[in-house]
Amino acid sequence: MTSFVDRAVLHVRAGDGGHGCVSIHREKFKPFGGPDGGDGGHGGSVTLVVDAGVHTLLDFHFHPHQKARNGNGGAGNHRDGANGETLTLRVPDGTVVQSIDGEVLADLVGVGTQFELARGGRGGRGNASLASTRRKAPGFAELGEPGETIDVVLELKSVADVGLVGFPSAGKSSLIAAISAARPKIADYPFTTLVPNLGVVQAGDETFTVADVPGLIPGAATGKGLGLEFLRHIERTAVLAHVVDTAALETERDPLSDIDAIEAELAAYGGLEDRPRLVVLNKIDVPDGRDLADIVRPELEARGYAVHVISAVTHEGLRELVFALSDVVKQHRAAAPPPERTRIILRPIAVDDSGFTIQRDAEGVYVVRGGAPERWVRQTNFDNDEAVGYLADRLARLGVEVGLKKAGAQPGDPVRIGVHEFDWQPNLFVEEEFVPGNRGTDYRLEDASKRVGATERKAMRAARRRPYEELEVSPGADDEDEDF
């Protein structure tokens, strides 16, 4: 028998981005043809999609760990790595995605609804993409960004128009089997139904769905019986139908007390006060049941309930009940607001948004937070001095150096970006023109006492660019010496 699972914990990891490639083009008569390292491919994302053919979370119960494919690394000759494929997880209609702490991340209702659960990491750029007028042949490439990792709880809340509630053995399964094509388990002992059952009912031109919720008992909203696990399945219903057993053998029970007990549990669960109610007095095929139904019906109607007397065995009164439920569902659908098309929301960046924030924690560390700085740090190879220098240049251009100075940071203070922590050296990169050196190195990271100043570097560069003829002694000067 197929198991029904309406709650599952899912551990998801998106694919990592591929690393960029460091490569220099070489061929015959062209030993140094420039950088040609390709970019790494993006990692695959993990997406949830509502599928009409899926009715349970059973697959995630047995396979709670899901991982998308990684992107491939780049290669020489400008070959980019392939992107990782998106992992699509199909879930039933009515699935609610929650964080471990209980925060609702998404409510997936409607076939085809999608939700990106974890985004794949960006692929690192190769040295061909990093080449510029200042760095004509970079000796480094960006690393692939790790994919997002998240743990979520999936809960299934059945999407039905009518919810059947009542005590165990009240005849809910028999009723849904009589008015629809559903075939739930039916037996003559309590708690026969252990999982919710859905049935599709046709009433003239109207079609609606009915959910059979497992039997409720006093204290269900606090965890007794099966009510706490399955009360969530009536949250989305348009109308609630109390199915009452009029032929119960217990002397301490009667239809009025059963309805009061169920209403108390619904009130304790919360969120169902505005749903219209109907009362279905079942099992009138038993003589004592018909007599009891005739006794309690006037009092139930006096309370404002629409009462229907039926027998799920002989089908007496089922047609009137089906059309009454159809009318209530039709009124609910007419009163509901029309579905709106998905809106595309544009959120432009504020004019005064620098893209990062700087705060000092209790340990005295200046913490830099921001999407761009943290991503740049994750994609930097700290074993390559040239890559570290490139990162520092990007942070300086973004304004991180100036922001640290305004925040009160002093030279040597610890600064943390992402998971990396380093000592701040404000004079190392700010307002200093970079002159490329050997690939994979950056002289600015050496000891400050050994570094050549900006003025000296400028003079050295001007000397290299000066034509060789200007350095030679002119012929006229030799002639003047000969005259003397």
Side-chain angles (χ1 to χ4, degrees):
M1 184 179 72
T2 303
S3 300
F4 180 87
V5 176
D6 64 347
R7 190 179 188 275
V9 179
L10 190 60
H11 309 278
V12 173
R13 178 180 176 84
D16 299 336
H19 300 328
C21 176
V22 181
S23 176
I24 300 298
H25 180 72
R26 289 180 174 87
E27 61 180 89
K28 190 175 182 180
F29 306 117
K30 191 184 294 185
F32 190 82
D36 66 348
D39 302 338
H42 301 310
S45 301
V46 180
T47 304
L48 300 179
V49 180
V50 176
D51 190 342
V54 180
H55 304 284
T56 177
L57 301 175
L58 183 64
D59 291 342
F60 305 123
H61 176 74
F62 291 108
H63 302 91
H65 297 274
Q66 300 288 337
K67 185 181 183 303
R69 292 183 177 274
N70 298 332
N72 294 338
N77 199 19
H78 300 282
R79 290 175 293 178
D80 296 337
N83 296 331
E85 296 181 0
T86 298
L87 177 61
T88 302
L89 304 179
R90 305 192 181 278
V91 297
D93 191 6
T95 301
V96 179
V97 185
Q98 301 178 357
S99 64
I100 298 297
D101 299 332
E103 179 185 0
V104 177
L105 304 178
D107 192 353
L108 306 179
V109 178
V111 176
T113 303
Q114 298 185 7
F115 175 68
E116 186 177 60
L117 192 57
R119 181 175 298 178
R122 295 189 181 186
R125 291 181 294 175
N127 64 341
S129 299
L130 297 173
S132 63
T133 55
R134 299 177 63 187
R135 287 185 174 85
K136 297 184 181 298
F140 67 97
E142 290 181 342
L143 301 178
E145 184 183 14
E148 294 180 349
T149 302
I150 186 173
D151 298 334
V152 296
V153 177
L154 302 182
E155 282 192 353
L156 175 59
K157 296 181 180 180
S158 301
V159 180
D161 297 309
V162 179
L164 303 180
V165 295
F167 271 72
S169 299
K172 299 183 297 297
S173 299
S174 301
L175 176 58
I176 197 174
I179 63 177
S180 70
R183 292 295 175 264
K185 182 180 180 180
I186 300 173
D188 58 351
Y189 53 84
F191 296 107
T192 306
T193 303
L194 299 178
V195 299
N197 298 299
L198 286 178
V200 180
V201 182
Q202 183 76 29
D205 296 334
E206 293 292 329
T207 301
F208 59 94
T209 56
V210 179
D212 167 23
V213 181
L216 304 178
I217 61 175
T222 60
K224 293 184 179 180
L226 300 176
L228 185 61
E229 295 295 327
F230 299 109
L231 273 171
R232 70 172 70 99
H233 291 280
I234 62 175
E235 289 186 21
R236 304 181 191 276
T237 56
V239 57
L240 297 178
H242 285 282
V243 181
V244 182
D245 182 4
T246 60
L249 299 178
E250 294 87 344
T251 56
E252 66 277 4
R253 286 179 49 193
D254 62 85
L256 298 177
S257 61
D258 287 356
I259 294 177
D260 293 339
I262 297 299
E263 285 291 339
E265 297 305 319
L266 296 178
Y269 186 76
L272 302 171
E273 296 80 6
D274 59 337
R275 310 299 165 84
R277 265 80 160 168
L278 280 79
V279 174
V280 180
L281 301 178
N282 191 19
K283 300 184 181 181
I284 61 172
D285 53 293
V286 179
D288 293 340
R290 185 181 296 272
D291 294 340
L292 183 58
D294 294 337
I295 295 173
V296 300
R297 181 170 185 173
E299 187 170 351
L300 292 173
E301 292 177 345
R303 293 186 180 185
Y305 291 112
V307 181
H308 294 269
V309 180
I310 62 123
S311 171
V313 176
T314 63
H315 293 191
E316 181 181 351
L318 289 185
R319 180 177 176 83
E320 292 79 4
L321 173 62
V322 168
F323 278 92
L325 294 174
S326 176
D327 292 339
V328 177
V329 172
K330 186 177 181 180
Q331 295 174 8
H332 172 77
R333 293 174 179 175
E340 297 182 1
R341 298 181 59 182
T342 303
R343 297 182 180 180
I344 300 176
I345 301 176
L346 301 179
R347 295 183 175 89
I349 300 176
V351 177
D352 57 347
D353 186 5
S354 60
F356 64 92
T357 59
I358 299 177
Q359 294 180 349
R360 190 175 185 181
D361 62 7
E363 299 178 355
V365 180
Y366 289 89
V367 182
V368 180
R369 293 185 177 90
E374 294 180 13
R375 183 177 69 252
W376 295 344
V377 168
R378 288 194 297 265
Q379 293 187 290
T380 298
N381 180 11
F382 286 90
D383 295 332
N384 188 305
D385 290 343
E386 189 178 358
V388 176
Y390 177 69
L391 170 65
D393 290 340
R394 302 179 78 181
L395 294 176
R397 288 194 298 268
L398 186 62
V400 175
E401 296 281 354
V402 177
L404 288 171
K405 185 176 181 181
K406 292 181 179 180
Q410 300 296 325
D413 286 347
V415 176
R416 183 186 304 124
I417 304 178
V419 297
H420 292 273
E421 186 172 322
F422 52 89
D423 296 334
W424 184 47
Q425 298 296 334
N427 298 324
L428 187 60
F429 300 105
V430 177
E431 298 179 358
E432 182 173 327
E433 186 177 359
F434 173 71
V435 179
N438 296 330
R439 288 186 295 113
T441 63
D442 193 320
Y443 62 86
R444 299 176 298 177
L445 298 177
E446 301 174 358
D447 187 6
S449 61
K450 300 180 181 179
R451 291 191 286 121
V452 181
T455 305
E456 298 179 9
R457 291 198 307 274
K458 185 176 181 181
M460 294 170 58
R461 186 167 60 255
R464 290 196 300 267
R465 294 177 179 176
R466 188 180 304 165
Y468 180 77
E469 291 79 5
E470 296 182 5
L471 300 178
E472 294 182 347
V473 180
S474 62
D478 295 338
D479 295 342
E480 293 178 357
D481 293 340
E482 291 177 359
D483 293 338
F484 280 95

